[in-house]
Amino acid sequence: MRLGSEVVDQVLHTVSKSNSLEELTLENAGLKSDFPQKMASALSENPASVIHSLNLAHNTLDNQVVALFLPQNPLDPESRFTTRSLLFGALLRGCCADLSYLNLSKNSFSHRKARDSLPTFRQFFSSAFSLTHVSLASVRVPPDSLRALFLGLSNNPHISDLHLDISGCEALQSLSLADSRLRQRGTVLVNALGSNACLRKVDLSGNLLEDSGAKMLSKALQINTTLRWAFKQTRKVLCKQRRLCPC
């Protein structure tokens, strides 16, 4: 629903006064590029604001303008901020320490801009201490960005239980989680292999999956018809499928 300027002004007025409004969804509302700055002003007028979920998806918002909003007005934990632009620079400067829920699903990544922002992308995931949920579902994340994401997470000592959704990510054909000591948590990944139609190579060695994990992997491969190459400790199970290279 496209909102006129008068309606937007009323929404901003409510934000500036309300001490009970927790969620605000303005998805595909035809917001103009100056909206984030006006939103920042409204929030700065209301120190009692309890907004923790803000969805501005599918609006044409300039990345630099959006950056004005987040650093000045970090959202509370479990906030959600979704736009088409890459916001990791703004997130890093604004609410990096407190952000726990990040939903960027079904957004588009510019490959050229993604290359330019790789250091920031990696730094965000290595510095976001409160993250519990990250969704990049159905986002065509470039391989370099995906690698930066995992490198950032691997260097983040504060994250212990993170839900990462990269389903539908066509950039992803090879995945190595070697020596990650996933143990029983690795069964979640093993189950996902059954329905994954993109992966060609996988390395699950050094995760202590034991016999139960091997059995689950065998069942997953009865469904998966695209995986062709596996590493080290997983190869014995995979070779039983006969279609895989043991390497």
Side-chain angles (χ1 to χ4, degrees):
M1 180 177 180
R2 300 296 172 124
L3 302 181
S5 58
E6 293 183 359
V7 177
V8 172
D9 288 343
Q10 289 300 316
V11 170
L12 292 171
H13 177 73
T14 302
V15 169
S16 69
K17 300 297 183 182
S18 174
N19 59 2
S20 59
L21 181 65
E22 297 182 356
E23 299 183 13
L24 180 60
T25 298
L26 296 173
E27 184 173 351
N28 196 22
L31 301 178
K32 296 181 180 179
S33 59
D34 62 350
F35 176 83
Q37 192 167 15
K38 290 182 177 180
M39 184 70 171
S41 297
L43 283 172
S44 65
E45 296 174 9
N46 186 4
S49 175
V50 291
I51 290 180
H52 64 73
S53 179
L54 176 62
N55 186 348
L56 304 180
H58 305 296
N59 289 287
T60 304
L61 302 176
D62 182 77
N63 199 31
Q64 293 181 352
V65 175
V66 176
L68 293 173
F69 169 70
L70 281 172
Q72 298 174 14
N73 299 277
L75 301 181
D76 290 335
E78 296 193 8
S79 60
R80 180 175 69 167
F81 193 91
T82 52
T83 71
R84 293 184 180 186
S85 303
L86 291 176
L87 296 172
F88 290 98
L91 289 169
L92 184 62
R93 297 191 300 272
C95 53
C96 183
D98 297 322
L99 188 69
S100 64
Y101 189 103
L102 179 62
N103 182 356
L104 292 173
S105 59
K106 299 181 181 179
N107 281 276
S108 59
F109 271 47
S110 166
H111 283 237
R112 180 182 61 81
K113 292 182 179 179
R115 287 194 296 270
D116 296 340
S117 64
L118 281 178
T120 302
F121 194 77
R122 177 176 176 177
Q123 186 180 358
F124 169 77
F125 285 105
S126 64
S127 306
F129 298 158
S130 303
L131 276 182
T132 59
H133 183 105
V134 176
S135 177
L136 293 170
S138 301
V139 177
R140 295 182 178 180
V141 184
D144 288 344
S145 296
L146 199 61
R147 186 177 299 110
L149 183 153
F150 283 117
L151 287 173
L153 290 176
S154 66
N155 292 327
N156 190 333
H158 299 276
I159 292 181
S160 58
D161 188 12
L162 172 68
H163 175 86
L164 176 62
D165 187 351
I166 53 174
S167 59
C169 177
E170 299 178 0
L172 186 61
Q173 295 185 345
S174 178
L175 177 64
S176 174
L177 292 174
D179 300 317
S180 297
R181 299 180 181 179
L182 295 175
R183 298 180 184 272
Q184 292 299 317
R185 290 177 297 180
T187 57
V188 177
L189 177 64
V190 171
N191 281 332
L193 289 176
S195 58
N196 187 286
C198 299
L199 279 175
R200 299 295 186 271
K201 300 180 181 180
V202 65
D203 184 354
L204 298 178
S205 59
N207 284 291
L208 304 176
L209 297 179
E210 300 181 347
D211 291 344
S212 59
K215 291 179 181 179
M216 293 180 66
L217 182 59
S218 180
K219 290 181 179 179
L221 291 172
Q222 293 176 14
I223 304 172
N224 188 305
T225 59
T226 57
L227 198 61
R228 289 291 180 271
W229 205 80
F231 298 74
K232 298 180 181 179
Q233 294 178 8
T234 57
R235 63 185 179 184
K236 293 182 179 179
V237 176
L238 299 175
C239 284
K240 292 180 181 179
Q241 305 300 316
R242 296 183 180 178
R243 55 188 173 78
L244 295 171
C245 170
C247 300

